[in-house]
Amino acid sequence: MSKRIEQEPIIRVEDVVAGYGDVTIFENVSFEVLRGEVFVILGGSGCGKSTLLKNMIGLYRPFSGHVEIDGEDIVSAEGAARLRILRKIGVMYQQGALFGSMTLLENIELPMEEFTDLPREAMHRIASSKLKLVQLEGTEHRFPAEISGGMRKRAAMARAMALDPEILFLDEPSAGLDPITSAELDDTISRLARTLGITFVIVTHELASIYKIADRVIMLDKEKKGIVATGTPVELRDHCEIAWVRRFFRRETASGEVAA
Amino acid sequence: MTTATSSRRGAVLRTTTSERGDRVLELEGRLDASSTARLWRDAMAAARAAGDRPLIVEAGAVDYCDGAGAALLAAIEEAAEQGGGRFELRGLREDLRELVALVAPSRQEVAPPPPPPSFIVRLGRSGIQTGRDLHRLVSFTGEAVIALASVIRHPRRLRMRDTVAIAERAGLGAMPIVVGVGFLLGLILAFQGAIPMKRFAAEIFVADLLGLSMLRELGPLMAAILLTARSGSAFAAEIGTMKVNEEIDALTTMGLEPVRFLVVPRVLAAMAVVPALATATSLSGLLGGLLVYRSLGFPTVTFINRIVDMVEPFDVIGGLLKAMVFGILVAGVGCLRGIETGHGAQAVGLSTTSAVVSGIVAIAVADGLFAAMFYVLGI
Ligand SMILES: Nc1ncnc2c1ncn2[C@@H]1O[C@H](COP(=O)(O)OP(=O)(O)OP(=O)(O)O)[C@@H](O)[C@H]1O
Ligand SMILES: [Mg+2]
């Protein structure tokens, strides 16, 4: 079954300039993410991928520009309007950001506790099913400090899905995972996109998963302070006018060797 | 002339002068971190001593060289260049030569660090910083008050379980130390008070002194200071660590305001707990004082009667009120410092320290204001 990507954008990023303090990390970044799409943000370490993500989810305010989620401007939204937007998204942070004083189950139940009237038993059941989705059954009552880094990431993804958001933002979901778990995570992502129509915005470096899951990719560059290429992975590999982008997608180093 | 330095494991440095007047450094053996460390000073001294004469390093007998050895060779070369003489590295094995080329510091000029900003610039910056701090303090207080009000209106929004757990940790956990400190304080105060009073045969008034100062002033003050040390710092560290781990960000994007979620339970818990701690401090202080009082030859009844006579209900109520305000201040400051935490583990340490310092300052200032207020009101 092939999935449905609608032509209507669910996220619209327009002329966003962002950074920290007086330092601009990128300028005039504009793109659209379509509903149901798996959208990948690529770029070298330190080029501002996490920063872009945090500006898209309204955590930081861009210096200028707009970010619209499902037709609503998240930059200027306050109070109830902001909450309405936030309810549509789930975020997995690069470091996991699980609450250290709570077990995994409690971590996942927290958003449900705060925003729904579900009985405790239902919350348990839902939270366990989310953990199962990321292959973490049996760890319900462990604390974040008691599991490995890769497991923490997956638990964070489970938490991001607690309220069944329409959009999931994942910052390097497969970093630190072994190839098999990483491939299983890719399957999970593809499956969620296909069956539930969830839109994904993912920062990743894993070329294998990019080819497998990405519908579209943007490439950020630190020097150019912005997007240097947009397209499907195959398009960029074969037709991108920038040599290093083509090389990246062919897994080649500058001296022409193919990296392992 | 030949001088030799050998390091215990492996490397030997021999300094000679060839008949043509070239300075020759012969290196031999393993050039690793430990052997290089022993040779470094002598090798560099020899290299500098070469001045503008040619400097030749004979490295044919070097059979191992790592990053430290490579750094030594590069440093010798640099010293030779500065002296103005020719430099030559002879006989180093090909694979080691490659390593040296790889590790050697780049020839490029390292950009000098930017000059420190001038006094005026620093003054301006610190002014801006103070302004920002003040702005943050005001907006934090505003947020906290709004969150508290909303919790009072919708009690269901209070994280009850968290609040109780925090109150337990801050309250029950502090009991033993509060009781101990209070007892000693009472003991000391009674002794110190008895000395001057003895001169007027007025030791009996030690009870008055103790009752008034413990219940009205020292009990609340001591309890609040101990709370700052135990819990104000803990609040800053907990919240600061959450900040560093992006947990605060995670809360925010879940739509859970960190202030309602983290600050309100802590402030409420502290507010509830400090009056109890203050009472415990005062009572154990009185107990300590009683011990001294009896040793001065007065019966317990006199002690109790004098205190009941002397202490007005408002002294007790005022003390508890003060304690409550101290609790709010200490918890608020601790949480604010936590939320202000920058990046990295070091930042958490800084926040913790500054939570304690600012907490104690806040208590002192508030206590002064209370004293003035009570005085004006004639209480
Ligand atoms: N809180 C911050 N304050 C100031 N500068 C920051 C902060 N966070 C990141 N930066 C800077 O912003 C730039 C982009 O950082 P960002 O974390 O977005 O990179 P990234 O593309 O996600 O890198 P990585 O792939 O390593 O995660 C970096 O140069 C970094 O030094
Ligand atoms: Mg990142």
Side-chain angles (χ1 to χ4, degrees), chain A residues 37 83 150 161 227:
Chain A
E37 182 172 46
L83 206 58
M161 292 187 298
I227 301 176

Side-chain angles (χ1 to χ4, degrees), chain A residues 105-118:
Chain A
L105 207 64
E106 287 167 344
N107 259 286
I108 301 171
E109 284 173 5
L110 179 70
M112 293 188 246
E113 233 170 64
E114 290 287 325
F115 292 115
T116 70
D117 292 320
L118 288 170

Side-chain angles (χ1 to χ4, degrees), chain A residues 54 57 59-60 82-83 86 91 93-95 97-100 102 106 110-111 113-115 117 159, chain B residues 132 156-157 159 161-162 242 244-256 260-261 343:
Chain A
K54 286 176 179 172
I57 57 180
L59 197 58
Y60 298 153
R82 186 181 167 80
L83 206 58
L86 290 178
V91 186
Y93 288 85
Q94 191 164 1
Q95 317 293 341
L98 293 168
F99 302 120
M102 303 180 185
E106 287 167 344
L110 179 70
E113 233 170 64
E114 290 287 325
F115 292 115
D117 292 320
R159 186 182 65 183
Chain B
R132 281 199 191 131
R156 251 182 49 113
R157 303 191 61 195
R159 303 272 310 166
R161 227 164 15 125
D162 293 357
M242 291 185 72
V244 171
N245 290 341
E246 298 183 317
E247 289 172 48
I248 306 272
D249 291 352
L251 277 179
T252 311
T253 38
M254 278 182 191
L256 305 172
R260 173 172 70 83
F261 207 80
H343 301 276

Side-chain angles (χ1 to χ4, degrees), chain B residues 47-137:
Chain B
R48 286 200 199 93
D52 57 1
R53 280 176 297 165
L55 181 69
I56 292 160
V57 173
E58 285 283 2
V62 171
D63 48 38
Y64 174 82
C65 172
D66 65 6
L72 176 67
L73 292 173
I76 293 174
E77 182 175 351
E78 212 171 285
E81 260 172 29
Q82 270 165 17
R86 188 168 52 83
F87 173 80
E88 205 178 315
L89 179 59
R90 278 190 200 150
L92 189 63
R93 261 179 21 218
E94 198 48 42
D95 52 334
L96 297 181
R97 205 176 261 278
E98 223 171 273
L99 175 80
V100 171
L102 199 65
V103 179
S106 68
R107 299 261 115 219
Q108 280 168 8
E109 285 284 316
V110 179
S118 72
F119 176 70
I120 308 263
V121 171
R122 271 180 312 183
L123 196 68
R125 278 199 193 147
S126 85
I128 293 170
Q129 191 56 42
T130 312
R132 281 199 191 131
D133 284 352
L134 223 65
H135 177 256
R136 241 192 330 230
L137 182 68

Side-chain angles (χ1 to χ4, degrees), chain B residues 279-292:
Chain B
T279 309
T281 316
S282 305
L283 291 183
S284 42
L286 292 182
L287 201 68
L290 175 62
L291 222 63
V292 177

